[in-house]
Structure formats: structure tokens, C-alpha cells
Amino acid sequence: MADMRDPIETGCPDPFQYMHPMMRRNFGLWAYHEDPRPGVLLHVAKNGDKLWTIKAGTQRILDLFTLRTLCQIADDYSDGFIRFTIRSNPEFFVTEESRVEPLIEKLEEAGFIVGGTKNSVTTLSHTQGWLHCDIPGTDASGVVKSMMDELIDEFKVSEMPNRVHITTSCCQINCGGQGDIAINVQHTKPPKINHDLVANVCERPTVVARCPVAAIRPAMVNGKPSLEVDEKKCICCGACFPPCPPMQINDAEHTKLAIWVGGNHSNARGKPTFQKLVAAGIPNNPPRWPEATAIVKRILAEYKAGARDWERVGEWIERIGWPRFFELVELPFTKYHIDNWRGARKSLNASAHIRF
């Protein structure tokens, strides 16, 4: 067996060393694929080779016992071949159709849900939240778990008009991503500064440089070097907190959640689209976040009922119009929904007049 190459610090890892042999053999030579049932894909190569992929959902943050359980199932039922998607969904690979159902039965017996393929609600992707990040205003991991408990029936079937990607983010500056629906943290107050600690903890020039709107400047407070914030400029993004923990912006009362819709990285049928705000000031209410979950469920219910086949969430909204969307999902349209970024006059709404 060939030695594995030495790890490197840059670039993508070599994907072929862990691939199923049939995947390596037919790389770039697949003829077509089918969806035999939710959670199962069948890829057929030009030479007739067939490979079944079985996808399951997890709680997203995986403990050692869960990882060992999944790897043991892979050893017993798929010759040890398993991979994890960006949403922590394990995928198992088999080359015989007779092995598909026993694998599914074993996964379900162990408490895992098979699904997440085709036009389903996929497992939410997210940042790590309170688990290890130093700047979260909420726990994105918890939002994923509580929300997927409510949406799991849509993961197990393929009944949405198109695939639905949902993302969550625990801060406003570092992680997250484009999704059909995104749940993001929303700070609503400027940071509170502990001036006694700034000089000992913070590299002040770095903190000043990190502010995207130049709202932070050096100051002397009680005879000590410190910082001050121009609250008229501050956009409450939290970028100052990582290099300077004494600039505390997390707040149990004033840190909220916001929901955005319509983001799409793909350019398969149209250009990529930005997300747009549809709900702000939602209570950041652990451990179940019921208010945010209720809004997401309303959006998905109306999308499922009213979208045409293969329309993504953003495409559906653009077709029916944003006023109609806000009416259907029973969300108020407020001044906070008026886009005022001067660099996007052509694509965003920059006045109180709604235009589409």
C-alpha cells in the first residue's frame, strides 16, 4: 500500500486517498444518477458500474460515541467507506443494491434519520457557537438542533419544490454563508468598554483598524490608554470584540436574531443572489429558540404550498413579489427592511418605496 503523502499547510487535501475505489475508477466518467428514495443516490458509470450513496442526518456536533457508532456501521455494512458532508451528514457507499436496505435499517435502529437528498430540507449548516468560538452572540449549534427537531419530517421526504438550504451564524462577522433561509445573530447595542482592562489586554491600533466604519478611536480614560466608540457611526457588528474582549458586545437582552432569505451561490439558471432581511429583533431565546423556529416554519409552509416545481425560495419570492411574501408569512415590513447601502443602488431598494 502506498504511503500517505505528508500533510501540507496550504491547499485542499487530496480527496482521492479516501474515495471508494469505484469512485476513483470512474472519476469524471459517470453517465447519470438517480434518486431511488429519499436519502439514497444511485450513480451509474459509462462502463455500467453502479454506486449507491446512503445519507443520514446527525445532531451536527458529534461526540466520540456517535462517531464510533457511525464508523462501526461503515465497517460492518459499507466496507469502511464513509464521508461527512459540510453539514455533518455521513454518507455511506455500497456497490450492491442488496446492501442498501440493511444499511438503512441499521442506521435507523441506531437512531439516525436517512434523508436529505433531492428536494428536501437539508440539515442546517452552521458555525460552532458556544462550543469553541470566542465571539458568539448565540449558539448556532443549538439553533440547528432545535430547529431540525421541528423540520425533521421535511428531511426524510423529498416534497419541497426544490432543495432548501438553511444556515445559521453565531456572530455577524466571521462565519455563516448563503442560504435559502439564514438565521443570524443581530447585536443592537454598541459594545460596553471596560476601560481598566483595555491597556493590558488590547492592541489598540489593531482594534481601531478592524472597525469597518471607523467608529473606534484611541482615548485616555482615567489616566489610562483606552478606546472610545462613536455610537452614531457604530453598526454593532462586533468586529472589535475578538481582538479586544473588554469591548463586550454580547448582551442577554439586546443581542437578537434576524432571518434573511433568498441567498443562492449557484449560477446554474441565474446569477448568484444576496440574502435579504425579512425579520429582525427576534428573541435570542435558548435552548429551543421557539420564535425563530416558528418564523422559519411559516416561510417553509408558504413556499411549499405556493412555489412552482424547481423554484428556489428566492425565485419564488421574486415571482410573487415581496409585498405578497410579507403578507403570506405574516411578517411586518418595517424601516429596517429598507436597503440603504450606497454601492448597490441597482440591485437593492434604497427608499421607502417598495419596487421590484
Side-chain angles (χ1 to χ4, degrees), residues 97-277:
E97 187 175 7
S98 61
R99 304 177 71 180
V100 173
E101 285 303 321
L103 175 53
I104 292 175
E105 291 175 4
K106 183 61 179 180
L107 285 168
E108 292 179 342
E109 178 187 324
F112 299 100
I113 307 296
V114 174
T117 57
K118 207 176 177 183
N119 49 325
S120 63
V121 174
T122 62
T123 302
L124 283 68
S125 67
H126 76 102
T127 54
Q128 306 308 318
W130 291 327
L131 187 66
H132 71 69
C133 188
D134 64 346
I135 61 169
T138 188
D139 179 32
S141 316
V143 175
V144 167
K145 176 63 173 69
S146 60
M147 199 165 287
M148 280 309 297
D149 284 347
E150 299 281 338
L151 302 177
I152 196 64
D153 288 340
E154 296 296 346
F155 177 85
K156 295 189 292 185
V157 298
S158 302
E159 297 178 353
M160 284 288 168
N162 202 336
R163 198 164 181 79
V164 179
H165 288 157
I166 304 177
T167 67
T168 62
S169 177
C170 54
C171 78
Q172 295 186 147
I173 59 169
N174 283 352
C175 301
Q178 290 286 79
D180 297 292
I181 302 174
I183 303 95
N184 299 324
V185 74
Q186 175 190 32
H187 299 300
T188 61
K189 293 288 185 180
K192 296 179 180 179
I193 305 176
N194 186 332
H195 296 287
D196 293 334
L197 295 178
V198 170
N200 295 330
V201 176
C202 309
E203 185 178 348
R204 295 191 300 157
T206 301
V207 183
V208 171
R210 278 181 66 99
C211 182
V213 292
I216 302 174
R217 51 182 174 260
M220 294 294 294
V221 180
N222 299 326
K224 296 181 179 180
S226 188
L227 298 162
E228 64 182 6
V229 176
D230 184 343
E231 295 191 0
K232 292 182 179 179
K233 290 183 178 180
C234 180
I235 58 174
C236 307
C237 68
C240 55
F241 179 64
C244 189
M247 299 188 70
Q248 180 61 248
I249 194 168
N250 294 341
D251 185 276
E253 180 183 354
H254 297 112
T255 294
K256 307 288 186 179
L257 297 182
I259 292 178
W260 302 65
V261 301
N264 185 10
H265 280 315
S266 171
N267 60 359
R269 291 171 297 164
K271 62 182 181 180
T273 56
F274 287 108
Q275 298 165 331
K276 294 185 179 180
L277 178 70

